[in-house]
Amino acid sequence: MSDFDVDLFVIGGGSGGVRAARIAAGHGARVMLAEEDRMGGTCVIRGCVPKKLLVYASRFAGDFEDAAGYGWSVPKAAFDWPTLIKNKDAEIARLEGIYRTNLTKAGVEIVDSRAVIEDAHTVRVLKTGARIRARVILVATGGRVVKVPAVPGIEHAITSNEAFHLERLPERIAVVGGGYIAVEFAGIFAGLGVETTLIHRGEKLLRGFDEDVRDALGEAYAQRGIRLCLECGLTSIEKMDGELLITLTDGRELRVDQVMIATGRVPNTEKLGLEEAGVALASNGAIVVDAMSRTNVPSIYAVGDVTDRVNLTPVAIREGHAFADTVFGNRPASVDHNVIPTAVFSSPEIGTVGLGEADARQRYGNVRIFRSSFRAMKATLSGREDRVLMKIVVDGDTDRVLGVHILGDGAGEMIQLVGIAVTMGATKADFDRTMAVHPTAAEELVTMRTPVA
Ligand SMILES: Cc1cc2nc3c(=O)[nH]c(=O)nc-3n(C[C@H](O)[C@H](O)[C@H](O)COP(=O)(O)OP(=O)(O)OC[C@H]3O[C@@H](n4cnc5c(N)ncnc54)[C@H](O)[C@@H]3O)c2cc1C
């Protein structure tokens, strides 16, 4: 042990790295953590947290409209983007401070620098040139956004990173991509009154989600006035007189003020010294790990987006925690990546856990589907046309609930709780014998009795 300067060197102060460092230090390990940018990583600085704040901001417009049906006369509301961004930045700075304080309190030594691996036990801190000998190295460097396809003029496009810091709210925006980040930002901009076009090469948004949810979101977005260009790609961006002229694969041209690319993220493994240390990488650059987050080099572990397993904050946190318990707490733990409740903060929101219908049919012969599409009670007086979708996928042989999919207000909050039941292996009969909470939208989850397929 005395051959080493520290027991653990963590590279990356994001969701996974911070949790691993704190828990390992709590187990008595001497821990050093290097972060080259701002503490907190993608989620806190340029991901989940600032995004959710913008989502909240974007939903007020609808609330003001809905209020009329309930007797309120709301004067024409005015929105100020710089105020939102200033307040959001202050909150992010507050959270960053908390991350730092918590690490320091836990006894973790923070190094504000890029760090790279020199060999199986050595990390070089670029700012100082110091070589730190570590018994164990944890790579938690996350992922980064890439602008693809690299069409002519791509340099004029922004990504989610820049979207959080725009000086002005554009009047017109084209968002390119069909994954959750593209869908969420399209919803944010549309809610804030921006003329929004969503360009996606696929036939539907949100590949990998249940087909009914994908259809329902497409319809809801079209109804909200988001222009959907599906089966369509970007071929060029041209800057002209203060606006951008974009050309699509079907020959159409659009004039917008901003283009946001949300087509992909890649693991952050470039120039980290991984290849030199003999760490195996997958073809997309992700670090290959086993169930215990071990790489093929016994002293080097990796957690979070850099391993490209399931790229979500709670997953990175769990992986970091399990790693620290296993290696420093003498409590071997691994993460179950099978049942992961998750939300898409589109408006309307999506909450999903477990298998979609198509995946369930592929894996299980006998599948029962329960589905309900209805207008939420709140929409009756407001006159909003939005529909809520709830769908339960059940194994017909065992009655176990394989998946639950919700589109509608509060879906993210609902799915967290449904996730407990599904993780516990609840059956449809368990759902059925659960008393309904009335009047709520969620009661539909325990009152659907007749399978539709
Ligand atoms: C726009 C957006 C919205 C998202 N929304 C959600 C959401 O709603 N819910 C959800 O669960 N997930 C969301 N995510 C995903 C989530 O942010 C990531 O899954 C999570 O942050 C991964 O954590 P991590 O620790 O693996 O990496 P990160 O949080 O990316 O942290 C890695 C850190 O390592 C640092 N680093 C990299 N290389 C080095 C080096 N050589 N030396 C020192 N430091 C280095 C980076 O600066 C970074 O701070 C979102 C992501 C984006 C981009």
Side-chain angles (χ1 to χ4, degrees):
M1 176 82 75
S2 55
D3 285 351
F4 299 112
D5 302 309
V6 292
D7 298 312
L8 171 65
F9 196 109
V10 179
I11 308 180
S15 308
V18 166
R19 175 59 67 95
R22 280 179 49 201
I23 300 301
H27 288 312
R30 289 171 301 161
V31 184
M32 197 178 273
L33 179 148
E35 169 54 58
E36 66 177 341
D37 197 316
R38 292 178 66 184
M39 195 61 75
T42 304
C43 177
V44 177
I45 307 297
R46 61 194 82 84
C48 338
V49 176
K51 173 202 70 192
K52 188 80 188 277
L53 294 174
L54 299 199
V55 168
Y56 283 131
S58 71
R59 289 181 180 166
F60 282 100
D63 292 343
F64 296 140
E65 279 171 20
D66 290 352
Y70 285 88
W72 289 92
S73 33
V74 182
K76 192 171 163 20
F79 170 70
D80 186 51
W81 171 260
T83 302
L84 171 64
I85 296 304
K86 181 170 78 81
N87 292 348
K88 180 266 294 174
D89 286 345
E91 173 59 9
I92 302 307
R94 188 184 73 85
L95 292 175
E96 185 184 1
I98 291 174
Y99 268 73
R100 281 186 177 275
T101 309
N102 286 346
L103 279 169
T104 309
K105 268 197 204 150
V108 175
E109 188 177 339
I110 299 173
V111 182
D112 287 301
S113 167
R114 182 170 174 80
V116 295
I117 294 174
E118 291 219 318
D119 62 41
H121 288 287
T122 312
V123 176
R124 188 154 54 91
V125 175
L126 296 195
K127 207 180 223 173
T128 58
R131 287 189 163 74
I132 309 294
R133 296 273 300 156
R135 181 159 71 84
V136 173
I137 297 169
L138 177 69
V139 185
T141 50
R144 66 172 193 284
V145 67
V146 280
K147 284 191 199 171
V148 282
V151 297
I154 193 78
E155 66 278 9
H156 302 305
I158 59 167
T159 67
S160 55
N161 291 345
E162 293 78 37
F164 290 120
H165 299 286
L166 290 176
E167 273 178 29
R168 280 190 319 114
L169 184 65
E171 283 176 20
R172 301 159 299 174
I173 193 164
V175 179
V176 185
Y180 79 93
I181 295 176
V183 158
E184 289 175 339
F185 273 91
I188 290 169
F189 285 117
L192 295 177
V194 179
E195 191 185 303
T196 305
T197 306
L198 189 51
I199 299 165
H200 175 45
R201 63 179 180 185
E203 194 191 340
K204 296 178 194 177
L205 303 169
L206 293 180
R207 186 161 61 91
F209 282 70
D210 182 86
E211 295 298 318
D212 282 331
V213 171
R214 300 177 75 189
D215 290 337
L217 182 74
E219 282 163 27
Y221 266 26
Q223 199 176 39
R224 284 187 68 191
I226 296 175
R227 185 175 359 178
L228 296 177
C229 296
L230 299 172
E231 296 183 291
C232 181
L234 193 63
T235 54
S236 68
I237 307 173
E238 210 179 319
K239 194 166 192 168
M240 15 187 12
D241 306 331
E243 61 178 10
L244 300 172
L245 175 71
I246 63 173
T247 315
L248 306 181
T249 42
D250 61 10
R252 260 185 296 173
E253 289 186 341
L254 282 179
R255 286 171 193 276
V256 293
D257 304 301
Q258 289 285 0
V259 178
M260 177 180 147
I261 306 283
T263 42
R265 293 182 61 83
V266 293
N268 251 336
T269 47
E270 257 178 28
K271 300 194 184 117
L272 253 186
L274 290 162
E275 291 93 333
E276 294 78 353
V279 175
L281 301 180
S283 57
N284 68 347
I287 298 180
V288 179
V289 288
D290 65 13
M292 308 306 275
S293 296
R294 256 184 315 230
T295 72
N296 59 318
V297 177
S299 58
I300 302 182
Y301 290 71
V303 295
D305 285 10
V306 76
T307 62
D308 196 26
R309 284 176 277 182
V310 179
N311 298 333
L312 292 168
T313 283
V315 178
I317 290 174
R318 277 289 170 88
E319 289 169 359
H321 201 129
F323 151 80
D325 279 348
T326 304
V327 178
F328 298 100
N330 206 17
R331 279 207 298 265
S334 61
V335 176
D336 179 1
H337 292 92
N338 281 318
V339 179
I340 298 179
T342 183
V344 177
F345 296 101
S346 43
S347 301
E349 196 165 292
I350 293 168
T352 178
V353 61
L355 296 179
E357 181 175 346
D359 286 342
R361 288 197 187 285
Q362 244 177 24
R363 287 207 224 162
Y364 297 82
N366 179 11
V367 170
R368 282 183 298 145
I369 303 296
F370 298 82
R371 186 174 49 225
S372 176
S373 166
F374 57 97
R375 223 168 142 207
M377 191 175 174
K378 190 179 169 196
T380 53
L381 296 202
S382 68
R384 199 166 278 285
E385 291 299 322
D386 287 9
R387 296 190 76 75
V388 177
L389 171 75
M390 296 202 179
K391 181 167 176 180
I392 305 179
V393 180
V394 179
D395 179 355
D397 292 335
T398 63
D399 198 42
R400 197 160 65 90
V401 174
L402 301 172
V404 177
H405 311 278
I406 305 172
L407 177 135
D409 281 358
E413 304 292 340
M414 282 187 242
I415 211 66
Q416 179 66 85
L417 302 180
V418 174
I420 299 172
V422 175
T423 302
M424 289 175 74
T427 59
K428 180 65 172 59
D430 292 325
F431 275 54
D432 292 347
R433 71 190 170 87
T434 302
M435 195 67 79
V437 179
H438 184 72
T440 63
E443 67 183 301
E444 204 71 21
L445 289 169
V446 297
T447 53
M448 283 187 254
R449 289 287 184 271
T450 317
V452 294

